Amino acid sequence: MSTYAPLAATPAAGLPDVSAPSGAPAPSARASRLDVSGALLALLRDSTTAPRPDPQLEALTLAVSADLPVLLWGEPGIGKTAALTQLAATLDLPLTTVIASVHEPSDFSGLPVIGDDPADNGIPMAPPDWAVRLVRAGRGLLFLDELSTAPPAVQAALLRLVLERRVGALRLPPGVRIVAAANPRSSAADGWELSPPLANRFVHLQWVHDADVVVRGLGGVWPRAVLPTLDAERLPEAVAFARRAVCGLLGARPTLVHRLPSGEAMRGGAWPSPRSWDMALSLTAFATAAGASRDVLSMLVRGTVGDGPGLEFLAYLDRMDLPDPEDLLADPGTAELPERGDLRQAALDAVVAAVRARPERSRWDAAWALLVRAAETGAPDLLVVPATTLAALRRDDWEVPASIEGLTGVVSVSRRADRAKARALNVTRVGR
C-alpha cells in the first residue's frame, strides 16, 4: 500500500474529505497533511544525548567556563553550530546568534543617536537589539558565526566586543560568554584572513568530525557536553602550578613571550603574545583544577599560543615533574630516577648542570654515584653526554672516584655503537 495517497483518493474513515469541485484539496486537508508532515519531522528531529568522552567538546566547555572567547575552525557542515546549540542547552544559557558577515561595523560599535545638546551631553552610541536583550537577560551565549567572511572593517569593530565586552554604550554582563565559528579561507564564501589583533583575542580550537559520533547521532544519540567539575580544594594549587609553569618556560625562553608570525595566514590563528600567554595560564589552571586529560590541555594551550610554543610548554610541564637535582645529589644511593628515557636524560642533565653551577668535590662524587645507579636501572646510552660533561668538570686535585671504572665500559661500548651506526649510514649513502 502506498504511503502517500493521491489527492483524488477516497478519504479514509476519520479523515476529512479532501475532494473539492475545483480538484484542489480543501484548506483543512492541506492543514491535515502538513500536520502529518510536521509529525514526521518531529520524529526525525527527536534525539537524545548520552555522556561520551569527547576531548574537543571538553576543551570548548573548559574555555567557556574560563570566560575566554573561543573560535571554532572547521569545514562547512561538520556540526559547529549544532555543538554550540547543544552546549548552550547544557549550560542553560539562551543562545544569541549573530552572523558577523552580514552586519555593518556600526552594528558592533553602535549607531550615533542625537538627543540633547551634543555639546553638553555628547552623542551616545546606540547598541543593536541583540545586545540589549543580552543585557536584560544578564546571561547568555553569544555566537558570532561566519567570522572568516566578515570584511576587515567589521573585524575591527569586533575588537572591542571580544576583548572588552562592549557594544556601543552597553557593557555585556559577566554572565555572557562569547564563541565564534569560522571556515578556513579555502572553504569560506568570499573569505578573509582574520586580522592579527582579532585573532590574538581568541582561543582557537580546530573542530573536526568523528565518524562514530556522527553515526551514533544520526541514529538518535548525540554526545552530551559535561560541565567541568572544578575541585575547590585544588584551586590554589592549580593557580600556583599554572603560574610556575608559564613563568618558568618564559623565563628560560624569553623569545616566546611575543612572536608575531611572518605569514598572513599564520597571523590569523594562534600565536604567542603576553595576552595569549595570560589566556594559556588561565586555561592551564582550569584544566588542572578539573583534572582534564593531556589531550584537552594540549588543544587549549596550542589554541592560544600556537603549535610550536604550545608543544614547548607541554614538554616543559613534563620536566616540571622531574626530581629536584639537589635532592638527587643529597642521596644518590636511594635516588628514584624517571622511567621514561627522555625524562631520565633531562634529570641527569639537570644534575650535571647543578654541579657545574656549584662545583664541589662532594657534589662531583655524588653525581658519579648517581650515574652508576642510572646505569644499573636504565639504558646506558643515556649516560654518554652527562658522563662526558661531568668528567670535564674535574679539578686537578680531585681524585677519580672508583665508581667511574664501572661506567668506563658502558660509555665506551655506547660510543663504539654510535660510531658503527655512523659508518653504516655512510656506507649506505655511498652505495646510493
Side-chain angles (χ1 to χ4, degrees), residues 342-369:
D342 57 336
L343 299 183
R344 174 170 288 213
Q345 181 80 67
L348 295 176
D349 290 342
V351 167
V352 175
V355 175
R356 182 192 292 113
R358 187 156 58 91
E360 297 175 1
R361 171 64 188 273
S362 60
R363 293 164 61 81
W364 192 67
D365 290 343
W368 281 116

Side-chain angles (χ1 to χ4, degrees), residues 105-315:
S106 57
D107 293 336
F108 301 103
S109 59
L111 288 167
V113 178
I114 299 178
D116 297 331
D117 188 355
D120 294 333
N121 303 312
I123 300 177
M125 306 298 287
D129 59 339
W130 55 265
V132 175
R133 290 196 300 270
L134 283 172
V135 171
R136 287 175 178 170
R139 53 198 293 275
L141 183 62
L142 175 59
F143 179 34
L144 303 173
D145 203 2
E146 304 293 345
L147 199 63
S148 58
T149 58
V154 174
Q155 293 187 27
L158 283 169
L159 291 175
R160 198 176 184 212
L161 167 62
V162 175
L163 185 63
E164 301 179 15
R165 311 296 177 94
R166 286 190 175 274
V167 186
L170 282 184
R171 184 181 186 89
L172 298 181
V176 173
R177 301 292 191 264
I178 297 178
V179 179
N183 301 321
R185 186 174 182 177
S186 58
S187 58
D190 193 20
W192 301 76
E193 297 290 356
L194 289 191
S195 66
L198 183 60
N200 198 237
R201 285 164 164 79
F202 281 104
V203 178
H204 299 255
L205 295 180
Q206 302 299 322
W207 205 256
V208 296
H209 76 277
D210 185 328
D212 182 57
V213 170
V214 173
V215 170
R216 286 172 54 85
L218 294 176
V221 182
W222 292 99
R224 181 189 310 145
V226 180
L227 290 176
T229 302
L230 303 178
D231 187 346
E233 296 182 356
R234 295 189 63 188
L235 299 187
E237 172 193 344
V239 172
F241 173 79
R243 286 178 174 166
R244 187 170 71 252
V246 172
C247 295
L249 174 66
L250 298 184
R253 298 276 281 116
T255 57
L256 293 180
V257 173
H258 188 276
R259 183 184 290 176
L260 181 64
S262 57
E264 181 185 4
M266 297 295 292
R267 291 182 178 186
W271 47 274
S273 73
R275 177 192 295 124
S276 58
W277 278 114
D278 182 61
M279 293 192 294
L281 191 153
S282 297
L283 291 171
T284 302
F286 266 79
T288 303
S293 68
R294 182 60 173 264
D295 289 340
V296 171
L297 180 60
S298 175
M299 290 180 188
L300 293 171
V301 173
R302 290 187 293 115
T304 53
V305 297
D307 287 336
L311 292 174
E312 283 199 47
F313 178 76
L314 294 171

